[in-house]
Amino acid sequence: MSSEQKSAPETAEAAEPRPRRLTYAAALAALEGAALVIGGVWILVLGLTGDPDNRQQAVTGGITLVVLALLPLLAARGLLLRRGWSRGPAVITQIMALPVAYNLLKADSMAIPGGVALAVVAVAALVLLVNPATTRALGIKGPGRAE
């Protein structure tokens, strides 16, 4: 690509500031990704150093959580960089978080506050992601709006 082709989109993005809603949505997605990484590393460490019922299952679960953290982390980066593709993974992450929050809310344990927090974050992020200002900032056009 020539420098002329690269400079046009960059100047358009620089001229219009990123909406706060988009920044907040990216922050919430990054928060979820960080929580998954922390949870995965914690399970992995406990599986390797502790006395789990099934060491292989603990290690597999920890690695799975760390790998799953890539989806919201990549989506958060894409949202901050105003990439249109990033809204899809971010929305999918929030939709996947809702059943997890529901299961945590049904538990009779200390997991209930975690379920409340996860539900609030997921719903707030979904509202921010479908907001028209966010959609415009990401350059997403709806059906019949090929302007």
Side-chain angles (χ1 to χ4, degrees):
M1 272 188 160
S2 70
S3 61
E4 291 177 14
Q5 291 173 338
K6 287 183 181 179
S7 64
E10 290 173 6
T11 57
E13 286 181 6
E16 185 179 324
R18 180 175 50 238
R20 279 188 283 168
R21 290 179 177 101
L22 185 57
T23 304
Y24 295 155
L28 290 175
L31 177 68
E32 289 173 333
L36 283 170
V37 168
I38 291 167
V41 169
W42 182 60
I43 290 172
L44 188 61
V45 168
L46 285 179
L48 293 173
T49 62
D51 189 25
D53 293 338
N54 186 340
R55 185 176 307 264
Q56 183 179 2
Q57 188 176 8
V59 170
T60 302
I63 291 171
T64 301
L65 283 180
V66 171
V67 171
L68 283 175
L70 292 175
L71 184 65
L73 291 174
L74 288 173
R77 178 164 164 66
L79 289 171
L80 284 176
L81 296 175
R82 298 170 76 169
R83 304 292 190 248
W85 61 263
S86 61
R87 190 175 80 155
V91 168
I92 289 169
T93 300
Q94 307 319 315
I95 291 172
M96 289 176 12
L98 290 173
V100 174
Y102 177 74
N103 284 329
L104 290 173
L105 287 171
K106 286 178 36 177
D108 263 349
S109 68
M110 295 297 293
I112 293 173
V116 170
L118 182 58
V120 167
V121 168
V123 170
L126 278 172
V127 168
L128 292 169
L129 288 166
V130 298
N131 187 285
T134 302
T135 304
R136 274 191 307 274
L138 293 173
I140 299 171
K141 294 174 179 48
R145 296 186 190 134
E147 299 169 357

